[in-house]
């Protein structure tokens, strides 16, 4: 579809969804949101030390929580989801992926609103103080730009690799210091910082594999090893094993879900957008949907759209066998 028609179609879809929401009661659900980097303010974003990704500042994060609190949502932890939520209720589960030190900026906001959040940690990055590959690529490509197509191909290539291959690619292309973070903005937590952070009552830690492993690139036993190594390190640091996992890059398969269950994980977050309707079917708990909020778009409008239960696109999508 040409982009002008796609925009037109999306606008119609959004207007219909909002009109539907105004007329029909919202269906009970748990809405899961994923965040990555958290910026102190707009100025921090312009320093170009880290891939801005969703452009989320502390102010936008606070605005997001305030929206759902004002609209009667209850904020929950993975353990509360697993114990079973009121099937007539409306819930939000906040998640942060990767283990960035900048995520500590969420804590005063979580305290102010009295809500919890779950932080999915790639533990090898914490142990080794390694930068995340997409930040390395972001910084290096600001210096040595590629065409849009070549840049897209580079990201696709890296997402298709196992972690040893990713590290080798970065070292070969960007030099021996490539894996080293350049600032407090792009670095992961240190083990001591993460241990202290995990003691905060608002903070729950979750599994994001040892090496930010895109698990569908691995043999089942190696995928299980990535998940197990992360479980063990977080248990060593905090005294208890996580119950939740976010699959890096959202990639999962029946083998990945089985590996997660095998190491004791009970709740799994993908990157497929959508509401998780209540009551949760037991088979869905390791394949939950998550929304992405964009800081460079209207936050209130996005929050309203995430709540809607009607989508023209779904109505028009051909049925799959
Ligand atoms: Zn991640």
């Amino acid at each position: 579809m040409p982009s002008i028609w796609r925009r037109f179609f999306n606008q119609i879809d959004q207007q219909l969804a909002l009109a539907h929401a105004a007329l029909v009661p919202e269906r009970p659900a748990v809405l899961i949101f994923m965040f990555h980097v958290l910026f102190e303010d707009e100025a921090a974003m312009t320093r170009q030390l880290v891939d801005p990704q969703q452009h989320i500042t502390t102010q936008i994060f606070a605005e997001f929580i305030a929206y759902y609190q004002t609209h009667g949502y209850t904020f929950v932890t993975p353990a509360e989801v697993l114990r079973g939520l009121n099937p007539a209720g409306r819930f939000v589960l906040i998640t942060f992926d990767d283990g960035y030190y900048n995520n500590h900026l969420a804590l005063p906001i979580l305290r102010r609103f009295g809500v919890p959040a779950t932080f999915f940690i790639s533990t090898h990055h914490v142990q080794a103080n390694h930068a995340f590959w997409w930040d390395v690529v972001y910084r290096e490509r600001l210096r040595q730009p590629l065409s849009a197509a070549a840049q897209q191909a580079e990201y696709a290539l890296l997402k298709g690799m196992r972690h040893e291959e990713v590290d080798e690619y970065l070292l070969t292309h960007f030099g021996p210091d490539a894996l080293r973070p350049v600032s407090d903005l792009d670095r992961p937590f240190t083990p001591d910082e993460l241990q202290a952070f995990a003691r905060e009552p608002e903070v729950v830690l979750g599994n994001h594999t040892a090496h930010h492993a895109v698990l569908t690139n691995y043999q089942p036993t190696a995928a299980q090893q990535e998940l197990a190594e992360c479980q063990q390190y977080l248990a060593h640091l905090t005294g208890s094993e996580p119950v939740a996992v976010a699959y890096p890059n959202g990639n999962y398969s029946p083998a990945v879900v089985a590996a997660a269950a095998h190491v004791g994980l009970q709740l799994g977050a993908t990157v497929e957008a959508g509401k998780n309707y209540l009551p949760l079917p037991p088979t869905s708990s390791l394949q939950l949907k998550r929304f992405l909020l964009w800081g460079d778009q209207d936050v209130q409008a996005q929050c309203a759209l995430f709540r809607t239960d009607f989508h023209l696109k779904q109505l028009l999508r051909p049925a799959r066998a």
Side-chain angles (χ1 to χ4, degrees), residues 63-78:
E63 195 185 327
F64 149 81
I65 297 177
Y67 175 92
Y68 285 102
Q69 218 166 42
T70 307
H71 288 85
Y73 279 76
T74 303
F75 290 74
V76 290
T77 63

Side-chain angles (χ1 to χ4, degrees), residues 36 97-98 134 208 212 248-249:
H36 298 87
D97 285 10
D98 304 327
W134 50 90
H208 203 44
H212 203 273
N249 202 45

